[in-house]
Amino acid sequence: VVMQFFTDPEIGDAISDFIRFWDKYKNQEDSAVRYLSKVCPYLSVISSDIPPKILYKTVEEFLKIRPKGNIGSKKVWDADDLNRFRKAKTCLIEAFENAIPYFSLYLKKDSVFTASTLAFFHDLGIVAGYYFELLRTIKRQVNGVDFNDLIQLTKEFLRSNQDIVKQHIRPRYKYILVDEFQDTDPAQFDIITAITGDLKPETKSLFIVGDPKQSIYLFRNADVTRFKEAQNRILNDCRGNHINLDISFRSCREVIGCVNHLFSGIFASAEKPWEFGYEPIRVYDGRKTIPGSITVLLPGKAPKGSGRSDTKEIEAGMVADLVHQIVSTGSLHITDQEGVPRPAGYGDIAILIERRTHLSSYTNALSRKEAPFYVHGGIGFYSRQEIYDLYSVLSFLLRPFDSAALFGVFRTPWFGLSDPALYHVVHVKGAKRGWSLYEKLKECAEIIQSSNDCPSGKILPFSTSDQEKIVRASRLLEKWGKLAGRVPVVSLISEIIRESDILTIYGAMEQGEQQAANLTKLIGIIRGRTEGGYYSLFDLVSDMAVSISDEEREGEAALDTLSQTSVNIMTVHASKGLEFPVCILCGTHKKFNKNDIIPNILIDKSLGMASKLRDDTGFARYDTPMR
């Protein structure tokens, strides 16, 4: 970029004109001459040979000098000189503004941070080299290829064997339609054009369908600029047609009108290769008479010092209030598929969220309003409490000395021990130093049983109900512990569910039907894994730990009646292709966070690679120079 700047003849002529005009008019009193007197000392030292740091500082100082208005008097200047001066000024300012970001990309050779940067890239190169060599070795050993190999090998074959393509492949495909074209990467597009051949006016075989605003596969090298390029080639080279699919068969006039108004401004620019203008949507004639409405909720700000979660709680509460109001009052009418108006019910409502981070805020708010809900579309399963409770039970059976897992089990509906009961288990009389919680539980249960056998004995300091729960917990855990590792995991879990009577307990709870269905679904998942061969309790606990910690995207068990009579909660991405009469779009107040799209390591074909490294304290992170 720097060399292009200094070899540009227009820029070179502009610098020469400035210096020449300064020498010619320096004794004149004029605004343009005063401007030249300030900037020419900087221009005289600018060259490709000076150190990058000095070059950057010099250009930075040049751009700080900004004269106001159209400087230069016709009384002082020759008309041709003045016109040439003004063009040169515009040229230099634009050129320096475009180039200064690149002039700033220099390494401070004596900087500790520069040394850390170079060391990091050196280490990264070693690790990357080892990784790719290991990957190639593994693929050779199994005689396999990965997804990228399939694309590249296909591209290379088609490009290098055009005679075979012309004779055997191209005649087989009279028409080629590429759907979701916005997610096509350059290599895939090369495969398409290798099959179709050169795009000419007589080429009538290629159809591309897509929405460039929905391009989501940048991580897979999808290049949305190819959409515009392919579009232009079909229109110009093939003299094809451009058809906008701009009719909505699902929505109503009010919603479409609002969307058109908002996005026509947001997507107004289409100048850059990756920008695409907004095409207004029209309502299907058959839905023009169906009424609709838009409601905007404006949550108040959380108290000063509150976190994001507090703001989200406020929004979730307003959403739950709106759902309750819609259903309880019957004030919002919708038109069903038969065209008959009726009041909206829970099953007609979808709550759309960006991500599952604050999912519990919405579920808790709906629960407080006693509104049934159904979380689906790939979120929620492994974060459900009933799944985590069973995981705690299985973790304890695998490791009986895991007191943390056992604490979790005690507080769940499986055993439901109160705080006083837990206190007395932990501080049971006679416990030896180093005993696990399970050993204390057994000791406590024996004391209770011996006390029951001798009614005249000492009165225990907790309720009869807690005593029964402690004895029951000790008995069941001991029995399940004897089965663990000796029976198949599906049989073990089925026995645990049966003897604990947990399904009956869930039946009396607010979301009991969903909780029971989720346990049934988990058994189905585990049964599927056991069909692949030996699957131990250790394997199961390990897999569940990974799924819970990674928040694996597994949908809750599908309940036809529940999903049809409950509020549906899902991510915006998971809602694609679905239709609900009432949609509540949450989190629209959130500002765009560029950190969501900036990776820790950035690679550019022309500039190289940059990363974020921590400073000496290990806390603050700084952008490295490109290398």
Side-chain angles (χ1 to χ4, degrees):
V1 173
V2 174
M3 294 310 299
Q4 281 183 338
F5 176 87
F6 285 107
T7 55
D8 188 319
E10 187 175 357
I11 295 174
D13 290 345
I15 293 175
S16 299
D17 285 343
F18 260 46
I19 295 175
R20 180 168 58 87
F21 291 146
W22 160 240
D23 185 61
K24 181 176 181 180
Y25 294 100
K26 61 183 177 182
N27 294 323
Q28 301 293 328
E29 184 60 33
D30 177 74
S31 58
V33 176
R34 288 193 294 272
Y35 171 69
L36 287 174
S37 67
K38 296 177 181 178
V39 299
C40 282
Y42 297 116
L43 291 178
S44 62
V45 300
I46 289 179
S47 73
S48 59
D49 298 326
I50 64 174
K53 182 178 181 179
I54 297 177
L55 175 62
Y56 171 72
K57 292 295 184 182
T58 303
V59 174
E60 186 179 44
E61 292 300 321
F62 176 92
L63 291 174
K64 288 180 180 178
I65 305 170
R66 294 296 180 96
K68 295 181 180 180
N70 203 11
I71 60 174
S73 172
K74 293 181 180 179
K75 296 180 181 179
V76 175
W77 286 74
D78 176 77
D80 290 338
D81 286 350
L82 183 58
N83 183 52
R84 191 173 179 90
F85 160 75
R86 289 172 175 171
K87 289 182 177 180
K89 180 170 74 72
T90 302
C91 171
L92 284 179
I93 291 176
E94 290 180 355
F96 282 139
E97 286 179 339
N98 292 331
I100 194 169
Y102 300 96
F103 291 165
S104 66
L105 299 176
Y106 59 86
L107 290 175
K108 301 176 182 178
K109 296 182 179 180
D110 298 329
S111 167
V112 174
F113 188 69
T114 296
S116 300
T117 299
L118 297 177
F120 170 76
F121 285 138
H122 177 265
D123 294 343
L124 184 63
I126 293 175
V127 173
Y130 175 78
Y131 167 78
F132 288 118
E133 181 57 36
L134 181 62
L135 182 62
R136 286 190 290 268
T137 301
I138 294 174
K139 287 192 288 188
R140 284 196 300 267
Q141 289 173 348
V142 299
N143 196 27
V145 293
D146 59 21
F147 181 79
N148 288 331
D149 294 331
L150 290 173
I151 298 296
Q152 292 300 326
L153 291 172
T154 302
K155 170 188 169 182
E156 292 170 9
F157 171 80
L158 294 175
R159 287 295 182 187
S160 58
N161 295 278
Q162 276 294 297
D163 53 337
I164 297 177
V165 173
K166 292 178 183 178
Q167 185 175 355
H168 299 285
I169 299 179
R170 193 170 298 156
R172 293 175 58 188
Y173 302 105
K174 186 175 182 180
Y175 302 108
I176 295 178
L177 185 148
V178 186
D179 197 10
E180 304 290 357
F181 191 83
Q182 73 275 1
D183 293 322
T184 302
D185 63 44
Q188 291 172 328
F189 187 56
D190 290 340
I191 291 173
I192 296 167
T193 54
I195 296 174
T196 61
D198 295 334
L199 300 181
K200 301 176 182 178
E202 56 269 22
T203 302
K204 304 294 181 182
S205 59
L206 180 60
F207 302 82
I208 64 172
V209 182
D211 182 356
K213 300 182 190 66
Q214 294 189 38
S215 182
I216 59 174
Y217 285 96
L218 180 63
F219 67 90
R220 207 187 61 193
N221 296 323
D223 186 355
V224 71
T225 62
R226 286 297 180 105
F227 191 98
K228 186 175 290 187
E229 176 189 332
Q231 186 181 64
N232 292 334
R233 290 181 64 181
I234 290 176
L235 293 176
N236 299 326
D237 299 347
C238 302
R239 297 177 185 173
N241 298 316
H242 178 200
I243 302 173
N244 286 321
L245 304 179
D246 57 356
I247 298 178
S248 171
F249 293 87
R250 295 184 176 186
S251 200
C252 57
R253 292 175 303 167
E254 291 81 0
V255 174
I256 294 301
C258 179
V259 170
N260 285 340
H261 174 73
L262 291 175
F263 285 95
S264 60
I266 295 172
F267 295 111
S269 174
E271 297 177 358
K272 297 182 175 65
W274 58 86
E275 291 181 333
F276 294 83
Y278 180 73
E279 298 290 344
I281 305 172
R282 295 181 292 147
V283 182
Y284 171 58
D285 290 341
R287 297 189 63 90
K288 285 184 177 179
T289 58
I290 296 177
S293 63
I294 292 177
T295 301
V296 179
L297 301 179
L298 300 175
K301 290 185 178 180
K304 191 173 182 180
S306 304
R308 292 183 181 178
S309 58
D310 297 310
T311 303
K312 189 60 66 175
E313 290 290 340
I314 295 174
E315 181 189 67
M318 293 186 69
V319 169
D321 289 340
L322 177 62
V323 170
H324 177 72
Q325 176 190 349
I326 289 173
V327 178
S328 63
T329 63
S331 57
L332 182 63
H333 285 72
I334 63 171
T335 304
D336 61 22
Q337 294 181 346
E338 287 72 33
V340 180
R342 62 172 176 81
Y346 288 120
D348 300 313
I349 302 173
I351 295 178
L352 307 182
I353 56 180
E354 180 188 8
R355 58 185 65 178
R356 58 175 294 179
T357 308
H358 298 286
L359 173 63
S360 61
S361 298
Y362 298 98
T363 57
N364 292 339
L366 291 171
S367 296
R368 288 193 292 270
K369 289 294 181 179
E370 298 183 351
F373 60 86
Y374 172 51
V375 180
H376 69 134
I379 57 177
F381 183 73
Y382 285 104
S383 63
R384 292 284 301 195
Q385 191 61 48
E386 61 271 15
I387 300 300
Y388 196 86
D389 291 346
L390 180 56
Y391 165 72
S392 295
V393 174
L394 297 174
S395 296
F396 164 75
L397 296 179
L398 180 64
R399 306 178 185 89
F401 296 100
D402 185 351
S403 296
L406 191 54
F407 263 118
V409 172
F410 283 163
R411 297 308 307 273
T412 68
W414 293 73
F415 297 115
L417 268 63
S418 66
D419 288 337
L422 275 176
Y423 176 84
H424 288 293
V425 169
V426 173
H427 298 90
V428 62
K429 186 176 180 180
K432 296 181 181 179
R433 184 181 180 88
W435 272 18
S436 67
L437 182 61
Y438 179 53
E439 291 172 313
K440 294 178 181 179
L441 172 71
K442 291 195 296 182
E443 180 70 17
C444 192
E446 289 179 6
I447 294 175
I448 293 172
Q449 288 175 322
S450 62
S451 175
N452 292 336
D453 294 338
C454 302
S456 59
K458 184 179 179 181
I459 298 176
L460 296 175
F462 44 94
S463 68
T464 303
S465 174
D466 279 339
Q467 294 178 37
E468 292 173 351
K469 290 178 181 178
I470 289 173
V471 173
R472 173 179 176 269
S474 177
R475 175 177 55 81
L476 290 178
L477 291 174
E478 182 178 8
K479 184 175 182 179
W480 298 341
K482 292 178 180 179
L483 294 176
R486 294 177 174 84
V487 299
V489 288
V490 173
S491 301
L492 173 63
I493 294 175
S494 299
E495 187 71 10
I496 291 172
I497 291 175
R498 185 185 66 81
E499 290 196 331
S500 66
D501 212 18
I502 190 63
L503 297 184
T504 302
I505 297 172
Y506 283 155
M509 297 175 68
E510 186 176 347
Q511 300 179 41
E513 186 179 4
Q514 181 67 65
Q515 292 169 317
N518 284 342
L519 288 184
T520 303
K521 174 174 179 174
L522 180 63
I523 293 176
I525 293 174
I526 297 169
R527 183 176 287 112
R529 291 175 180 175
T530 60
E531 292 174 355
Y534 178 70
Y535 193 71
S536 67
L537 178 61
F538 175 83
D539 297 327
L540 172 58
V541 171
S542 299
D543 287 347
M544 290 187 70
V546 171
S547 298
I548 291 170
S549 63
D550 292 350
E551 296 185 336
E552 184 173 307
R553 296 176 61 83
E554 176 67 46
E556 289 189 57
L559 299 176
D560 291 338
T561 56
L562 185 61
S563 61
Q564 293 173 7
T565 59
S566 303
V567 178
N568 292 266
I569 306 177
M570 66 190 74
T571 62
V572 174
H573 183 71
S575 69
K576 187 175 181 180
L578 302 180
E579 182 177 356
F580 294 92
V582 182
C583 294
I584 302 176
L585 185 60
C586 303
T588 55
H589 66 285
K590 179 185 174 185
K591 294 182 179 180
F592 183 72
N593 186 359
K594 291 185 178 180
N595 289 330
D596 290 343
I597 61 171
I598 299 177
N600 286 329
I601 296 180
L602 184 66
I603 299 176
D604 183 90
K605 291 181 179 179
S606 60
L607 294 177
M609 182 168 64
S611 179
K612 289 182 178 292
L613 297 183
R614 298 192 182 276
D615 63 7
D616 294 338
T617 65
F619 293 97
R621 295 202 302 176
Y622 296 94
D623 296 341
T624 68
M626 301 295 280
R627 180 170 186 245

